[in-house]
Amino acid sequence: MIETDILIIGAGPTGLFTVFEAGLLQLKCHIIDALPQPGGQLAELYPKKPIFDIPGYPSVLAGELVDNLMEQIKQFQPGFTLAETAETIDKLEDGTFIVTTNKGTKHHAKAVAIAGGLGTFEPRKPAIENIAFYEEKGVEYFVKNPEQFRAKDIVIAGGGDSALDWSIFLADVAKSVTLIHRRNEFRGALDSVEKVQELKKSGKINLITPAEVIAIQGENHVESITLDSDGKHHQIKTDYFIPLFGLTPKLGAIANWGLEIEKNAIKVNNALDYQTNIDGIYAIGDVNIYPGKLKLILCGFHEATLMCQSVYNRINPGKRYVLKYTTVSGVDGFDGTRKEAEKAVVKAIE
């Protein structure tokens, strides 16, 4: 059983920033996310795309923002349960919660913050008749452990940042990398497209466009795939097939928790603390809905801040908390670090 003050469901930017705001209140956080790494959409879909509406950053790459958030919360030592989805929730008599994932991992929390963005991300799967049979038998929708592909033949399908970036990375890991896209044009960062072009010229990536994978062969594991290229079919031997066609957001099992749902989002009390209709369960970021809601990262940061104040009062009834500016009070991390402004120099001017 994993014990924590606030259990955060969703490791996107709003969920990550919640750890910092909770840490200022000396509240411990643990995060569950269905993806194999923190960052949500920013890390999985467009890590190299710039974001322009983060205060203090005229422009910041999505992946860089995730890295900065991870660095910011490191001092508060959050726990992570990754590549698992929150499946069930039970409210105990003392008002705390037990949340169990699809893999049976149990978490005991004094409050739950749903920060799942647009919901649980499920991979968009190609329309190949027998693909379900080969899932985890050579068909992988995420690259969780690159070493899994060491000295193997792999085929990657897709035309976005994920397909380009993993083709580049795995070119130095796998025995061979074949990148397949149904169009000649790629919708990814320019430097990634140029890098793939260089790797193609050097023979480190086999690029096939326009083409589409239409079938998979193999007795108990992927052994080959069949390509349709301009109406002509041919097979390629491979150990792994990795289709990277993006993710489909779904509210998932959370929709069955008894929460008030509107337009596939969770209704909250935005006049106070972004609490749902169940006391002790909050929803912040893109996953919630209320009058005037804007689905912006900076709005999620604001909602996380107010929510943490509410959780503090819930966990410490009757205990007064005096809000202090971090510029004055500094930041005390759980790891023993102390960050504070330099003391003013007191000196008489003659």
Side-chain angles (χ1 to χ4, degrees):
M1 183 78 73
I2 295 170
E3 300 281 347
T4 191
D5 293 320
I6 305 176
L7 180 66
I8 303 167
I9 299 173
T14 297
L16 295 177
F17 187 68
T18 301
V19 175
F20 179 78
E21 287 297 320
L24 294 179
L25 301 169
Q26 296 296 294
L27 299 177
K28 187 73 175 175
C29 293
H30 190 92
I31 304 179
I32 298 174
D33 200 282
L35 296 176
Q37 74 284 318
Q41 294 183 71
L42 274 64
E44 186 64 28
L45 295 184
Y46 46 89
K48 292 189 176 182
K49 294 293 176 66
I51 301 173
F52 300 104
D53 60 355
I54 302 300
Y57 288 92
S59 175
V60 60
L61 296 181
E64 183 184 348
L65 178 60
V66 172
D67 291 341
N68 289 345
L69 286 165
M70 290 294 288
E71 180 64 25
Q72 185 179 31
I73 68 176
K74 183 171 63 175
Q75 61 199 318
F76 295 121
Q77 301 177 313
F80 288 91
T81 299
L82 299 175
E84 299 185 31
T85 58
E87 194 79 12
T88 63
I89 188 168
D90 297 293
K91 191 170 185 179
L92 306 183
E93 291 184 4
D94 63 358
T96 61
F97 301 88
I98 292 180
V99 175
T100 306
T101 70
N102 61 320
K103 294 186 179 179
T105 308
K106 293 185 178 295
H107 309 75
H108 182 215
K110 297 171 184 174
V112 175
I114 302 171
L118 299 174
T120 299
F121 289 107
E122 297 182 3
R124 290 193 177 97
K125 303 179 181 182
I128 298 174
E129 185 178 353
N130 59 345
I131 193 167
F133 173 79
Y134 292 103
E135 290 172 358
E136 298 186 4
K137 299 175 185 176
V139 170
E140 303 288 343
Y141 300 108
F142 301 106
V143 179
K144 300 176 184 178
N145 177 20
E147 284 301 311
Q148 176 183 2
F149 308 107
R150 173 73 62 183
K152 301 292 185 181
D153 295 313
I154 65 172
V155 171
I156 295 176
D161 284 314
S162 291
L164 292 166
D165 292 345
W166 280 120
S167 295
I168 294 166
F169 184 89
L170 293 173
D172 290 326
V173 175
K175 179 181 178 182
S176 70
V177 175
T178 299
L179 175 59
I180 297 167
H181 184 37
R182 60 183 178 177
R183 298 185 181 92
N184 291 320
E185 302 80 18
F186 287 83
R187 299 185 64 177
L190 180 60
D191 63 328
S192 296
V193 175
E194 292 175 347
K195 182 65 175 176
V196 167
Q197 183 69 33
E198 292 174 8
L199 291 170
K200 176 192 174 184
K201 289 180 179 177
S202 64
K204 297 195 72 174
I205 288 180
N206 179 27
L207 182 63
I208 304 176
T209 61
E212 193 170 357
V213 177
I214 59 171
I216 304 172
Q217 296 82 33
E219 189 171 344
N220 295 309
H221 194 278
V222 172
E223 295 176 7
S224 64
I225 53 96
T226 299
L227 277 183
D228 181 340
S229 180
D230 291 331
K232 298 178 181 179
H233 296 179
H234 62 277
Q235 287 188 353
I236 297 177
K237 289 186 177 181
T238 187
D239 299 303
Y240 289 95
F241 172 46
I242 310 173
L244 299 174
F245 297 149
L247 304 170
T248 301
K250 293 183 179 179
L251 208 50
I254 292 174
N256 303 318
W257 286 6
L259 301 168
E260 194 172 352
I261 306 294
E262 180 181 305
K263 297 179 181 178
N264 202 40
I266 303 170
K267 290 187 70 174
V268 295
N269 174 10
N270 68 303
L272 187 61
D273 55 10
Y274 304 97
Q275 197 159 190
T276 68
N277 59 305
I278 299 178
D279 184 43
I281 301 181
Y282 302 77
I284 53 177
D286 288 356
V287 77
N288 73 16
I289 189 170
Y290 54 82
K293 169 68 179 181
L294 294 176
K295 293 182 182 293
L296 297 172
I297 294 173
L298 61 90
C299 293
F301 290 166
H302 164 78
E303 294 166 9
T305 304
L306 297 187
M307 182 217 73
C308 287
Q309 298 288 325
S310 176
V311 173
Y312 179 87
N313 292 327
R314 172 185 171 81
I315 294 176
N316 303 285
K319 185 177 179 181
R320 190 182 175 198
Y321 171 74
V322 179
L323 178 66
K324 297 179 181 178
Y325 297 111
T326 56
T327 48
V328 177
S329 63
V331 177
D332 291 309
F334 293 170
D335 60 1
T337 58
R338 170 71 178 167
K339 295 181 180 178
E340 58 184 340
E342 293 182 6
K343 301 297 182 183
V345 176
V346 179
K347 185 178 180 180
I349 298 178
E350 299 177 355

